[in-house]
Amino acid sequence: MSEDSTNRIKYALYSESWDAQIESPSELRRLARRVLANEYVDAMHGAIYCPGCFTALTRTPREKPFFANGRRACFAHLPTNRSIPCDLRSTRPEGKLFLTEEEAARAIANDELVVVSSFLSSRPEAPESSGVYDQTPVEDLTGPVSEVPIARHRDRTFRLPTRVSTIASLCRRFDENLYRYYVLPGSSEAVRLVDALTNVADVTEPTSAPSLYFGEIVATFNAGKSPKPTNIRMTQLRCNAGIADFYLKVKDQLQAEKGITDQAVGRYVLFWGKISVSGIGLSADHLGWGEFSLLPQKYEAYLPQGET
Ligand SMILES: [Zn+2]
Protein backbone atom coordinates (compact mmCIF):
# COMPACT_ATOMS: atom_id res chain seq x y z
CA MET A 1 0.00 0.00 0.00
CA SER A 2 1.41 3.35 -0.95
CA GLU A 3 1.60 6.01 1.71
CA ASP A 4 -0.92 8.01 -0.25
CA SER A 5 -3.74 5.50 -0.44
CA THR A 6 -5.92 6.08 2.58
CA ASN A 7 -9.44 4.78 2.91
CA ARG A 8 -10.79 8.29 3.45
CA ILE A 9 -11.45 8.49 -0.30
CA LYS A 10 -14.74 6.56 -0.34
CA TYR A 11 -15.55 7.36 -3.93
CA ALA A 12 -14.03 9.01 -6.96
CA LEU A 13 -15.82 11.58 -9.07
CA TYR A 14 -16.02 10.12 -12.59
CA SER A 15 -16.61 12.38 -15.55
CA GLU A 16 -15.46 11.94 -19.15
CA SER A 17 -16.45 15.49 -20.09
CA TRP A 18 -15.21 17.69 -17.22
CA ASP A 19 -12.30 19.92 -18.20
CA ALA A 20 -10.13 20.83 -15.22
CA GLN A 21 -8.58 23.75 -17.15
CA ILE A 22 -11.80 25.66 -17.70
CA GLU A 23 -14.50 24.17 -15.48
CA SER A 24 -15.01 24.52 -11.74
CA PRO A 25 -15.02 21.78 -9.09
CA SER A 26 -18.73 22.44 -8.49
CA GLU A 27 -19.32 21.67 -12.17
CA LEU A 28 -17.42 18.39 -11.67
CA ARG A 29 -19.56 17.57 -8.63
CA ARG A 30 -22.66 18.24 -10.72
CA LEU A 31 -21.55 16.21 -13.75
CA ALA A 32 -19.81 13.32 -12.06
CA ARG A 33 -20.93 9.86 -11.21
CA ARG A 34 -19.61 8.67 -7.86
CA VAL A 35 -17.75 5.39 -8.21
CA LEU A 36 -16.44 3.04 -5.54
CA ALA A 37 -13.00 1.46 -5.84
CA ASN A 38 -14.61 -1.92 -6.61
CA GLU A 39 -16.71 -0.33 -9.38
CA TYR A 40 -13.65 1.01 -11.18
CA VAL A 41 -13.01 -0.29 -14.69
CA ASP A 42 -9.91 0.69 -16.61
CA ALA A 43 -11.91 2.65 -19.19
CA MET A 44 -12.31 5.24 -16.41
CA HIS A 45 -8.56 5.83 -16.22
CA GLY A 46 -7.83 9.54 -16.64
CA ALA A 47 -11.43 10.53 -15.87
CA ILE A 48 -11.67 9.93 -12.12
CA TYR A 49 -11.05 12.73 -9.64
CA CYS A 50 -10.55 13.24 -5.92
CA PRO A 51 -13.62 14.52 -4.01
CA GLY A 52 -11.25 16.62 -1.85
CA CYS A 53 -8.79 18.32 -4.24
CA PHE A 54 -10.34 17.45 -7.64
CA THR A 55 -7.05 16.25 -9.14
CA ALA A 56 -6.89 12.94 -10.99
CA LEU A 57 -6.91 9.69 -9.05
CA THR A 58 -5.87 6.19 -9.91
CA ARG A 59 -7.00 2.93 -8.40
CA THR A 60 -4.34 0.91 -6.68
CA PRO A 61 -3.86 -1.80 -7.69
CA ARG A 62 -5.12 -0.62 -11.07
CA GLU A 63 -5.78 -4.01 -12.66
CA LYS A 64 -7.61 -5.89 -9.93
CA PRO A 65 -9.98 -5.16 -7.03
CA PHE A 66 -7.67 -6.67 -4.37
CA PHE A 67 -4.05 -6.38 -3.29
CA ALA A 68 -2.01 -9.60 -3.16
CA ASN A 69 -2.60 -9.73 0.62
CA GLY A 70 -6.38 -9.69 0.11
CA ARG A 71 -6.86 -6.06 1.12
CA ARG A 72 -9.40 -4.20 -1.01
CA ALA A 73 -8.18 -1.86 -3.72
CA CYS A 74 -8.48 1.86 -3.00
CA PHE A 75 -8.10 5.20 -4.71
CA ALA A 76 -4.83 7.14 -4.61
CA HIS A 77 -3.62 10.48 -5.94
CA LEU A 78 -1.25 10.48 -8.91
CA PRO A 79 2.40 10.86 -7.89
CA THR A 80 2.70 13.72 -10.42
CA ASN A 81 0.29 15.80 -8.28
CA ARG A 82 2.28 15.33 -5.11
CA SER A 83 2.80 19.08 -4.76
CA ILE A 84 -0.96 19.77 -4.65
CA PRO A 85 -2.12 19.70 -1.03
CA CYS A 86 -5.09 17.50 -0.18
CA ASP A 87 -6.17 16.60 3.33
CA LEU A 88 -7.52 13.26 2.08
CA ARG A 89 -3.92 12.08 1.54
CA SER A 90 -3.39 11.65 5.25
CA THR A 91 -4.82 8.92 7.41
CA ARG A 92 -5.74 11.36 10.18
CA PRO A 93 -7.98 14.29 9.36
CA GLU A 94 -7.33 17.82 10.53
CA GLY A 95 -9.91 20.52 11.07
CA LYS A 96 -10.08 23.15 8.32
CA LEU A 97 -9.25 26.71 9.29
CA PHE A 98 -10.13 29.88 7.41
CA LEU A 99 -8.00 32.98 6.99
CA THR A 100 -10.82 35.52 6.90
CA GLU A 101 -14.49 35.73 7.79
CA GLU A 102 -15.24 36.42 4.11
CA GLU A 103 -13.53 33.18 3.09
CA ALA A 104 -15.60 31.18 5.61
CA ALA A 105 -18.82 32.98 4.59
CA ARG A 106 -18.07 32.20 0.94
CA ALA A 107 -17.55 28.51 1.78
CA ILE A 108 -20.98 28.52 3.47
CA ALA A 109 -22.59 30.25 0.48
CA ASN A 110 -20.97 27.66 -1.83
CA ASP A 111 -22.28 24.79 0.30
CA GLU A 112 -18.74 23.66 1.12
CA LEU A 113 -19.09 24.48 4.83
CA VAL A 114 -22.12 24.04 7.09
CA VAL A 115 -22.30 25.37 10.64
CA VAL A 116 -24.97 23.41 12.52
CA SER A 117 -26.14 25.28 15.62
CA SER A 118 -28.42 22.41 16.69
CA PHE A 119 -30.42 19.46 15.43
CA LEU A 120 -34.21 19.77 15.55
CA SER A 121 -35.57 18.18 18.72
CA SER A 122 -39.14 17.99 17.41
CA ARG A 123 -40.88 18.15 14.07
CA PRO A 124 -41.62 21.76 13.10
CA GLU A 125 -45.30 22.71 12.90
CA ALA A 126 -46.73 22.24 9.41
CA PRO A 127 -47.93 25.47 7.77
CA GLU A 128 -51.52 26.02 8.90
CA SER A 129 -52.89 26.30 5.39
CA SER A 130 -51.79 22.81 4.32
CA GLY A 131 -54.26 20.94 6.52
CA VAL A 132 -52.89 17.55 5.42
CA TYR A 133 -50.04 15.54 6.86
CA ASP A 134 -47.02 16.84 5.04
CA GLN A 135 -44.71 14.11 3.68
CA THR A 136 -42.17 16.45 2.15
CA PRO A 137 -38.87 16.27 3.97
CA VAL A 138 -38.14 19.09 6.38
CA GLU A 139 -35.26 21.15 5.06
CA ASP A 140 -32.74 22.84 7.31
CA LEU A 141 -33.97 25.95 9.11
CA THR A 142 -32.03 29.16 9.50
CA GLY A 143 -30.16 29.24 12.81
CA PRO A 144 -28.72 32.19 14.72
CA VAL A 145 -25.62 34.06 13.53
CA SER A 146 -22.89 32.71 15.81
CA GLU A 147 -19.27 33.28 16.75
CA VAL A 148 -17.44 30.30 15.24
CA PRO A 149 -13.79 29.63 16.22
CA ILE A 150 -12.50 28.34 12.88
CA ALA A 151 -10.04 31.18 12.19
CA ARG A 152 -6.47 30.37 11.27
CA HIS A 153 -5.42 32.98 13.85
CA ARG A 154 -6.01 31.55 17.26
CA ASP A 155 -8.27 33.52 19.61
CA ARG A 156 -10.26 34.89 16.69
CA THR A 157 -13.82 33.91 15.88
CA PHE A 158 -15.96 34.64 12.84
CA ARG A 159 -19.61 35.68 12.89
CA LEU A 160 -21.27 33.21 10.59
CA PRO A 161 -24.78 32.10 9.63
CA THR A 162 -25.79 28.71 11.05
CA ARG A 163 -28.42 26.09 10.33
CA VAL A 164 -30.77 24.12 12.49
CA SER A 165 -30.51 20.76 10.80
CA THR A 166 -31.65 17.15 11.01
CA ILE A 167 -29.77 13.87 10.70
CA ALA A 168 -32.32 12.99 8.00
CA SER A 169 -31.08 15.93 5.97
CA LEU A 170 -27.45 14.74 6.34
CA CYS A 171 -28.57 11.29 5.15
CA ARG A 172 -30.72 12.45 2.23
CA ARG A 173 -27.79 13.61 0.07
CA PHE A 174 -25.20 11.66 2.01
CA ASP A 175 -22.94 11.27 -1.04
CA GLU A 176 -22.71 15.02 -1.58
CA ASN A 177 -22.51 15.80 2.14
CA LEU A 178 -19.71 13.30 2.79
CA TYR A 179 -16.87 15.65 1.82
CA ARG A 180 -18.48 18.89 3.01
CA TYR A 181 -17.03 20.53 6.11
CA TYR A 182 -19.31 20.67 9.14
CA VAL A 183 -19.03 22.50 12.41
CA LEU A 184 -21.31 20.38 14.58
CA PRO A 185 -23.04 21.71 17.73
CA GLY A 186 -20.58 22.38 20.55
CA SER A 187 -17.57 21.78 18.28
CA SER A 188 -14.90 24.34 17.48
CA GLU A 189 -13.63 22.51 14.40
CA ALA A 190 -14.74 22.26 10.78
CA VAL A 191 -14.33 18.63 9.75
CA ARG A 192 -15.52 16.73 6.73
CA LEU A 193 -18.63 14.66 7.41
CA VAL A 194 -16.67 11.49 6.55
CA ASP A 195 -14.35 12.31 9.47
CA ALA A 196 -17.09 13.31 11.92
CA LEU A 197 -18.74 9.88 11.90
CA THR A 198 -17.92 7.33 14.62
CA ASN A 199 -18.91 3.69 14.27
CA VAL A 200 -20.87 2.46 17.29
CA ALA A 201 -18.75 -0.71 16.98
CA ASP A 202 -15.74 1.39 18.07
CA VAL A 203 -17.47 2.78 21.18
CA THR A 204 -16.46 1.26 24.52
CA GLU A 205 -17.40 3.95 27.07
CA PRO A 206 -20.19 6.39 27.93
CA THR A 207 -19.64 10.00 26.83
CA SER A 208 -20.52 13.35 28.37
CA ALA A 209 -20.92 15.31 25.12
CA PRO A 210 -23.03 14.44 22.08
CA SER A 211 -21.35 13.33 18.89
CA LEU A 212 -22.25 11.86 15.50
CA TYR A 213 -22.48 8.05 15.29
CA PHE A 214 -23.58 5.35 12.90
CA GLY A 215 -24.38 1.72 13.57
CA GLU A 216 -25.73 -1.39 11.91
CA ILE A 217 -29.10 -2.60 13.22
CA VAL A 218 -28.77 -6.22 14.36
CA ALA A 219 -32.20 -6.48 16.06
CA THR A 220 -35.14 -4.18 16.77
CA PHE A 221 -38.37 -4.72 18.72
CA ASN A 222 -41.12 -2.87 20.56
CA ALA A 223 -40.43 -3.35 24.27
CA GLY A 224 -44.11 -3.25 25.36
CA LYS A 225 -45.81 -6.38 26.72
CA SER A 226 -48.73 -5.57 24.44
CA PRO A 227 -46.88 -3.36 21.94
CA LYS A 228 -48.17 0.18 21.48
CA PRO A 229 -46.63 3.01 19.44
CA THR A 230 -45.94 4.89 22.68
CA ASN A 231 -43.67 2.10 24.01
CA ILE A 232 -39.91 2.29 23.68
CA ARG A 233 -38.51 0.45 20.67
CA MET A 234 -35.23 -1.25 21.48
CA THR A 235 -32.98 -1.06 18.42
CA GLN A 236 -29.80 -3.07 18.94
CA LEU A 237 -26.71 -1.91 17.07
CA ARG A 238 -23.58 -3.88 16.24
CA CYS A 239 -21.29 -3.12 19.16
CA ASN A 240 -17.70 -3.49 20.26
CA ALA A 241 -16.60 -6.95 21.37
CA GLY A 242 -15.62 -5.37 24.70
CA ILE A 243 -19.17 -4.40 25.70
CA ALA A 244 -22.30 -6.52 26.27
CA ASP A 245 -24.73 -4.71 23.97
CA PHE A 246 -25.70 -1.32 22.57
CA TYR A 247 -29.27 -0.11 22.15
CA LEU A 248 -30.89 2.92 20.59
CA LYS A 249 -33.89 3.51 22.85
CA VAL A 250 -36.54 5.83 21.44
CA LYS A 251 -40.37 5.63 21.30
CA ASP A 252 -41.66 3.20 18.70
CA GLN A 253 -43.77 5.79 16.89
CA LEU A 254 -40.80 8.11 16.48
CA GLN A 255 -38.58 5.29 15.19
CA ALA A 256 -41.36 4.11 12.85
CA GLU A 257 -41.53 7.59 11.38
CA LYS A 258 -37.84 7.18 10.47
CA GLY A 259 -38.44 3.77 8.92
CA ILE A 260 -37.07 1.79 11.90
CA THR A 261 -39.51 -1.10 12.24
CA ASP A 262 -39.08 -4.86 12.69
CA GLN A 263 -38.01 -4.92 9.01
CA ALA A 264 -35.00 -2.61 9.47
CA VAL A 265 -32.51 -5.30 10.56
CA GLY A 266 -29.31 -5.01 8.51
CA ARG A 267 -29.83 -1.30 7.78
CA TYR A 268 -27.67 1.51 9.18
CA VAL A 269 -28.83 4.29 11.46
CA LEU A 270 -27.08 7.64 11.99
CA PHE A 271 -27.63 9.57 15.20
CA TRP A 272 -26.49 12.60 17.16
CA GLY A 273 -26.35 12.00 20.90
CA LYS A 274 -24.53 10.99 24.06
CA ILE A 275 -23.66 7.44 25.02
CA SER A 276 -25.05 6.28 28.37
CA VAL A 277 -24.62 3.23 30.55
CA SER A 278 -27.65 0.96 30.26
CA GLY A 279 -27.82 -2.22 32.32
CA ILE A 280 -24.69 -4.17 31.47
CA GLY A 281 -24.24 -2.40 28.12
CA LEU A 282 -24.45 1.04 26.53
CA SER A 283 -27.25 3.00 24.90
CA ALA A 284 -28.27 6.19 23.18
CA ASP A 285 -31.64 7.41 24.39
CA HIS A 286 -33.83 10.53 24.59
CA LEU A 287 -32.97 11.30 20.98
CA GLY A 288 -35.04 14.09 19.46
CA TRP A 289 -37.04 13.94 16.24
CA GLY A 290 -34.21 15.41 14.14
CA GLU A 291 -31.39 13.55 15.85
CA PHE A 292 -31.54 10.18 14.09
CA SER A 293 -32.37 8.66 10.73
CA LEU A 294 -31.96 5.51 8.67
CA LEU A 295 -29.27 5.85 6.02
CA PRO A 296 -30.55 5.06 2.50
CA GLN A 297 -29.07 1.68 1.53
CA LYS A 298 -27.40 3.07 -1.60
CA TYR A 299 -25.02 5.08 0.63
CA GLU A 300 -23.91 2.30 2.97
CA ALA A 301 -20.71 1.69 0.98
CA TYR A 302 -19.59 5.26 1.77
CA LEU A 303 -19.54 4.75 5.55
CA PRO A 304 -16.11 4.80 7.17
CA GLN A 305 -14.87 1.31 7.95
CA GLY A 306 -12.39 -0.20 10.30
CA GLU A 307 -8.87 -1.11 9.31
CA THR A 308 -9.89 -4.11 7.18
ZN1 LIG B 1 -7.31 14.90 -3.14
Side-chain angles (χ1 to χ4, degrees):
M1 167 176 162
S2 84
E3 200 183 322
D4 185 78
S5 55
T6 72
N7 66 6
R8 288 174 64 229
I9 304 179
K10 296 294 163 195
Y11 59 72
L13 295 167
Y14 167 54
S15 171
E16 293 286 348
S17 63
W18 185 65
D19 184 340
Q21 302 302 318
I22 54 169
E23 289 178 297
S24 69
S26 48
E27 186 65 4
L28 172 64
R29 278 197 296 257
R30 196 183 64 77
L31 288 171
R33 206 177 100 203
R34 290 165 178 80
V35 293
L36 300 168
N38 65 7
E39 294 170 334
Y40 173 86
V41 289
D42 217 45
M44 296 176 184
H45 187 74
I48 56 169
Y49 303 93
C50 174
C53 67
F54 312 105
T55 68
L57 294 176
T58 181
R59 189 182 73 175
T60 168
R62 186 170 155 185
E63 320 74 38
K64 45 191 195 307
F66 292 95
F67 287 93
N69 65 5
R71 199 176 150 268
R72 273 191 287 263
C74 53
F75 291 117
H77 294 86
L78 295 186
T80 46
N81 291 331
R82 194 162 289 154
S83 60
I84 298 168
C86 178
D87 67 295
L88 296 181
R89 285 175 198 277
S90 70
T91 352
R92 285 318 310 158
E94 281 178 25
K96 186 173 172 72
L97 298 172
F98 295 84
L99 196 55
T100 63
E101 190 168 280
E102 291 67 36
E103 187 192 350
R106 200 173 329 120
I108 291 175
N110 292 340
D111 256 353
E112 290 155 7
L113 169 67
V114 182
V115 182
V116 180
S117 53
S118 63
F119 289 103
L120 273 170
S121 56
S122 55
R123 172 186 265 278
E125 296 289 326
E128 280 182 32
S129 57
S130 75
V132 288
Y133 180 69
D134 187 5
Q135 290 285 2
T136 51
V138 173
E139 297 302 334
D140 292 359
L141 308 176
T142 305
V145 172
S146 299
E147 299 285 341
V148 187
I150 51 172
R152 204 168 293 171
H153 298 288
R154 283 208 290 166
D155 307 327
R156 273 201 68 188
T157 59
F158 296 145
R159 281 180 66 75
L160 295 170
T162 68
R163 284 192 205 174
V164 179
S165 189
T166 62
I167 298 299
S169 133
L170 290 189
C171 288
R172 196 171 316 123
R173 304 307 305 269
F174 190 71
D175 53 347
E176 290 178 18
N177 293 335
L178 199 63
Y179 291 104
R180 282 199 175 115
Y181 284 94
Y182 284 82
V183 181
L184 293 169
S187 168
S188 54
E189 278 201 312
V191 296
R192 293 185 189 271
L193 181 60
V194 68
D195 300 319
L197 289 159
T198 300
N199 191 340
V200 163
D202 294 330
V203 174
T204 55
E205 289 177 336
T207 59
S208 54
S211 188
L212 189 60
Y213 298 93
F214 70 95
E216 184 188 357
I217 299 174
V218 293
T220 177
F221 59 93
N222 183 309
K225 281 212 176 70
S226 46
K228 291 188 286 292
T230 48
N231 294 135
I232 294 292
R233 171 170 283 273
M234 301 286 284
T235 296
Q236 190 179 1
L237 304 182
R238 188 171 300 288
C239 69
N240 192 275
I243 65 161
D245 52 37
F246 190 109
Y247 283 95
L248 191 80
K249 300 194 292 185
V250 179
K251 269 188 189 165
D252 182 68
Q253 58 197 14
L254 202 50
Q255 295 209 41
E257 204 185 313
K258 310 288 175 184
I260 306 175
T261 62
D262 291 354
Q263 280 70 51
V265 173
R267 299 282 303 273
Y268 282 80
V269 63
L270 259 72
F271 66 92
W272 171 259
K274 288 183 206 172
I275 309 298
S276 309
V277 174
S278 171
I280 55 167
L282 297 174
S283 73
D285 39 27
H286 304 298
L287 299 181
W289 177 84
E291 294 178 328
F292 69 103
S293 179
L294 266 190
L295 183 71
Q297 276 172 301
K298 60 183 171 181
Y299 300 140
E300 287 173 3
Y302 300 153
L303 286 168
Q305 280 153 15
E307 293 306 302
T308 50

